[in-house]
């Protein structure tokens, strides 16, 4: 059965085994991610409709607070009050994918202790399940964003099709952190408290609520140390400004992301041998 990798392969930490695990367990990952999304809304009156209304409500709130209350602008004059909210919402969307996975990572193994006892269960797929749920909610938010942009501007740029390519490096990078944090979270329970603070800091230290050009020259280079900065800017290029992404920059980011993913995966596979003893 493809969904269950043999125990001998489960402890392999090579880059090839990292890819093979995703391919071989893709059906299991899909099923678990689907179950997680459905269970999140089970019992509510509106059910899955909340996944659509939540980002829609947030977009309305952003529009009112930043465009009406603060009369904010993004360095360009635009007559429509929703313009700033759309630009801001792109940053929120990208940060949301990263934050949801990183914040959940430390409790993934602890919260699925029954799987640890199963020798053949591919534990390394649990971060992929969290990523799958995060991407589903991001897709719903993206739909809201594109609909709002279509209503406000009357047209969508063709460069929207580049967005999955822009997002891929961040997904790979986030998975590396998720593997590492999920393994560390078994042994150091304080990790779960730290990730919430970390993702909040990265939110305000990324160009989500402000453009990079609004910062002093001496500070701009430091904000690019934030792994979200480049992806947020490139997302705005393709989703909002109608420009092609920086392919060279995305290539460099992808190489770094692959290295981070492999290190995180290797650490997870090495530490997983002690999960049963602690849990």
């Amino acid at each position: 059965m493809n969904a269950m990798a043999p125990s001998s392969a489960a402890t392999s930490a090579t880059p090839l085994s990292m890819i093979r695990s995703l391919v071989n367990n893709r059906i299991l990952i899909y099923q678990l991610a689907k179950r997680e999304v459905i269970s999140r809304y089970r019992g509510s009156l509106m059910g899955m409709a909340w996944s659509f209304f939540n980002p829609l409500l947030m977009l309305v709130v952003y529009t009112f607070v930043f465009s009406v209350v603060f009369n904010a602008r993004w360095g360009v004059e635009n007559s429509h009050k929703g313009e700033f909210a759309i630009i801001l919402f792109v940053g929120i969307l990208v940060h949301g994918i990263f934050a949801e996975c990183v914040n959940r990572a430390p409790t993934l193994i602890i919260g699925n202790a029954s799987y640890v006892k199963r020798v053949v269960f591919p534990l390394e797929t649990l971060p992929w399940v969290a990523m799958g749920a995060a991407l589903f909610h991001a897709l719903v938010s993206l739909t809201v964003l594109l609909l709002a942009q279509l209503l406000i501007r009357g047209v969508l740029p063709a460069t929207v099709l580049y967005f999955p390519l822009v997002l891929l490096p961040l997904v790979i990078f986030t998975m590396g952190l998720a593997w590492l944090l999920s393994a560390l979270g078994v042994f150091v329970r304080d990790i779960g408290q730290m990730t919430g603070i970390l993702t909040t800091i990265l939110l305000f230290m990324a160009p989500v609520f402000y453009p990079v050009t609004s910062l002093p020259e001496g500070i701009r280079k430091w904000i690019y140390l934030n792994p979200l900065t480049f992806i947020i800017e490139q997302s705005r290029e393709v989703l909002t400004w109608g420009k092609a992404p920086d392919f060279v920059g995305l290539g460099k980011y992808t190489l770094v992301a692959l290295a981070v993913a492999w290190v995180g995966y290797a650490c997870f596979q090495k530490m997983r041998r002690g999960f049963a003893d602690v849990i």
Side-chain angles (χ1 to χ4, degrees):
M1 181 177 178
N2 287 340
M4 296 296 180
S7 57
S8 60
T11 56
S12 178
T14 64
L16 183 60
S17 69
M18 178 177 66
I19 299 174
R20 187 185 298 119
S21 174
L22 172 61
V23 174
N24 291 346
N25 298 296
R26 63 189 183 279
I27 298 177
L28 175 64
I29 293 171
Y30 171 77
Q31 292 173 340
L32 291 178
K34 179 180 178 181
R35 186 180 69 178
E36 179 170 326
V37 171
I38 294 175
S39 65
R40 184 174 302 188
Y41 302 101
R42 183 178 293 126
S44 61
L45 294 177
M46 296 178 61
M48 291 287 291
W50 278 116
S51 64
F52 179 82
F53 286 110
N54 280 337
L56 180 62
L57 177 61
M58 293 308 299
L59 184 60
V60 172
V61 171
Y62 292 148
T63 301
F64 175 76
V65 172
F66 288 96
S67 300
V68 178
V69 177
F70 293 120
N71 196 27
R73 294 291 183 271
W74 198 268
V76 293
E77 290 296 328
N78 197 294
S79 59
H80 202 286
K81 294 183 180 298
E83 187 73 19
F84 185 90
I86 290 176
I87 297 171
L88 183 149
F89 200 68
V90 175
I92 293 293
L93 188 156
V94 173
H95 174 268
I97 297 172
F98 176 84
E100 182 172 346
C101 291
V102 170
N103 288 340
R104 288 197 55 212
T107 59
L108 282 176
I109 305 301
I110 301 170
N112 294 279
S114 59
Y115 292 151
V116 177
K117 308 299 181 180
R118 301 179 183 180
V119 180
V120 297
F121 186 86
L123 292 175
E124 71 277 6
T125 61
L126 292 178
W128 277 118
V129 174
M131 176 59 74
L135 289 176
F136 169 80
H137 291 104
L139 179 61
V140 176
S141 296
L142 177 63
T143 302
V144 172
L145 174 68
L146 296 180
L147 287 175
Q149 188 163 301
L150 187 61
L151 289 174
I152 292 173
R153 295 180 170 178
V155 65
L156 290 177
T159 53
V160 167
L161 298 175
Y162 284 122
F163 185 59
L165 182 63
V166 171
L167 205 58
L168 180 60
L170 180 65
V171 170
I172 298 172
F173 181 87
T174 304
M175 283 301 302
L177 292 183
W179 275 314
L180 179 62
L181 293 173
S182 61
L184 289 175
V186 176
F187 304 99
V188 184
R189 303 299 170 93
D190 292 341
I191 295 291
Q193 306 300 323
M194 296 168 58
T195 53
I197 299 174
L198 173 64
T199 54
T200 301
I201 291 175
L202 292 179
L203 171 65
F204 289 100
M205 294 303 293
V208 175
F209 303 100
Y210 52 85
V212 174
T213 53
S214 67
L215 299 174
E217 286 284 351
I219 299 179
R220 292 181 191 178
K221 61 181 180 180
W222 297 107
I223 202 172
Y224 281 98
L225 294 177
N226 185 335
L228 297 176
T229 297
F230 180 75
I231 299 300
I232 289 175
E233 288 198 318
Q234 293 303 304
S235 296
R236 288 196 177 112
E237 291 290 319
V238 301
L239 292 176
T240 306
W241 308 128
K243 299 179 181 179
D246 178 1
F247 292 105
V248 175
L250 286 175
K252 294 178 181 178
Y253 194 111
T254 301
L255 291 177
V256 174
L258 287 171
V260 171
W262 177 50
V263 170
Y265 181 80
C267 290
F268 180 93
Q269 295 294 62
K270 183 176 182 179
M271 287 187 280
R272 70 181 293 170
R273 298 165 187 169
F275 290 171
D277 297 332
V278 177
I279 296 178

